[in-house]
Amino acid sequence: MALIVAGCVLFYSGYAAQIEREGFTTLPFAIDMVTGAAERQIETSLDLISQ
């Protein structure tokens, strides 16, 4: 999961200027959904490490 997120972030950062020129914007609920999933994944990982 983390590898997929990292790949998406790298892809977006490489094309961010072009995407913005075309007028595409990311919907806020999509950003919230992705960040929420990432936060839960990190919290779960940290809980497993601390045990």
Side-chain angles (χ1 to χ4, degrees), residues 12 19-20 22-28 31:
Y12 179 77
I19 291 170
E20 290 175 12
E22 295 293 326
F24 178 80
T25 57
T26 306
L27 300 173
I31 294 172

Side-chain angles (χ1 to χ4, degrees), residues 16-40:
Q18 183 176 356
I19 291 170
E20 290 175 12
R21 275 195 304 271
E22 295 293 326
F24 178 80
T25 57
T26 306
L27 300 173
F29 81 88
I31 294 172
D32 292 341
M33 183 177 63
V34 170
T35 55
E39 288 173 353
R40 286 189 298 278

Side-chain angles (χ1 to χ4, degrees):
M1 176 73 168
L3 188 56
I4 293 170
V5 171
C8 291
V9 168
L10 290 174
F11 178 78
Y12 179 77
S13 65
Y15 288 98
Q18 183 176 356
I19 291 170
E20 290 175 12
R21 275 195 304 271
E22 295 293 326
F24 178 80
T25 57
T26 306
L27 300 173
F29 81 88
I31 294 172
D32 292 341
M33 183 177 63
V34 170
T35 55
E39 288 173 353
R40 286 189 298 278
Q41 181 77 23
I42 292 169
E43 289 172 355
T44 303
S45 296
L46 291 176
D47 287 343
L48 292 174
I49 292 171
S50 65
Q51 292 178 358

